[in-house]
Amino acid sequence: DAGVIQSPRHEVTEMGQEVTLRCKPISGHDYLFWYRQTMMRGLELLIYFNNNVPIDDSGMPEDRFSAKMPNASFSTLKIQPSEPRDSAVYFCASSLPPGETQYFGPGTRLLVL
Amino acid sequence: SQQGEEDPQALSIQEGENATMNCSYKTSINNLQWYRQNSGRGLVHLILIRSNEREKHSGRLRVTLDTSKKSSSLLITASRAADTASYFCATHGAQKLVFGQGTRLTINP
């Protein structure tokens, strides 16, 4: 298996623009997680899905952030409109049961100017 | 919060020495996991220890768990330059996995 795949790997955009991050989890994994990592706040869980259904989105910072999982092999995290404080590395991870080993993608490094 | 807190925040040792990192948490857990993150990369799972286990080994890694003290330690023996990375503990309680802030380990040649 290729592991968790994320795209793009790097994104530079201007404030106010829409940003879409993409993730393909490991085949057969029922759980998908979106994290954000910054120096100041560390690794934060934004939202996670079970069988394509959002289970907990309490970590989503505000309404500008939205996430979808239309099928078992694809998820998106969208920021609209983007702001400079959204600059961070965004990771997608997948797992079987949620408390077991999580497999992380390489991350998307987002810079909002 | 059940968030794990790693100690120390940064550790610098000579190649060949052993490195020990500690993690403390606040609430009961089902398991505790350690992950490694190389600069600019995603997190990689190292080892998982369940609440009814006290010690676990994997290659040069040794993890202990003391649920009475709500603490865990990760020992890396005979360190190598390639072990330079950040190490995170993550606790699994009710549902989510909650990550600590990490220990930045530097192995000097």
Side-chain angles (χ1 to χ4, degrees), chain A residues 9 35 37 39-43 45 48 55-56 58 91 98-107 109, chain B residues 3 31 33 35 37 39-48 50 88 92 95-101:
Chain A
R9 293 293 309 277
Y35 291 91
Q37 186 178 40
M39 289 293 293
M40 290 296 294
R41 301 174 69 91
L43 193 66
L45 176 64
Y48 77 94
I55 302 301
D56 184 347
S58 60
F91 289 103
E100 298 298 309
T101 300
Q102 291 189 12
Y103 296 84
F104 281 74
R109 188 172 296 272
Chain B
Q3 183 179 29
N31 67 60
Q33 304 176 33
Y35 287 78
Q37 183 180 32
S39 181
R41 310 289 287 272
L43 279 72
V44 174
H45 181 261
L46 295 176
I47 198 164
L48 181 154
R50 302 193 186 279
F88 295 86
H92 175 233
Q95 290 185 350
K96 299 179 284 192
L97 203 58
V98 181
F99 287 81
Q101 295 281 31

Side-chain angles (χ1 to χ4, degrees), chain B residues 31-104:
Chain B
N31 67 60
L32 185 145
Q33 304 176 33
W34 287 91
Y35 287 78
R36 183 188 73 229
Q37 183 180 32
N38 291 90
S39 181
R41 310 289 287 272
L43 279 72
V44 174
H45 181 261
L46 295 176
I47 198 164
L48 181 154
I49 186 165
R50 302 193 186 279
S51 60
N52 61 351
E53 297 176 309
R54 291 297 168 259
E55 187 171 314
K56 209 161 184 180
H57 297 254
S58 177
R60 294 183 295 112
L61 306 181
R62 172 177 170 254
V63 169
T64 61
L65 179 64
D66 187 335
T67 52
S68 66
K69 295 181 179 179
K70 292 186 171 56
S71 67
S72 173
S73 67
L74 170 66
L75 168 68
I76 304 174
T77 60
S79 62
R80 306 168 181 169
D83 295 328
T84 293
S86 291
Y87 292 81
F88 295 86
C89 70
T91 51
H92 175 233
Q95 290 185 350
K96 299 179 284 192
L97 203 58
V98 181
F99 287 81
Q101 295 281 31
T103 292
R104 175 70 189 164

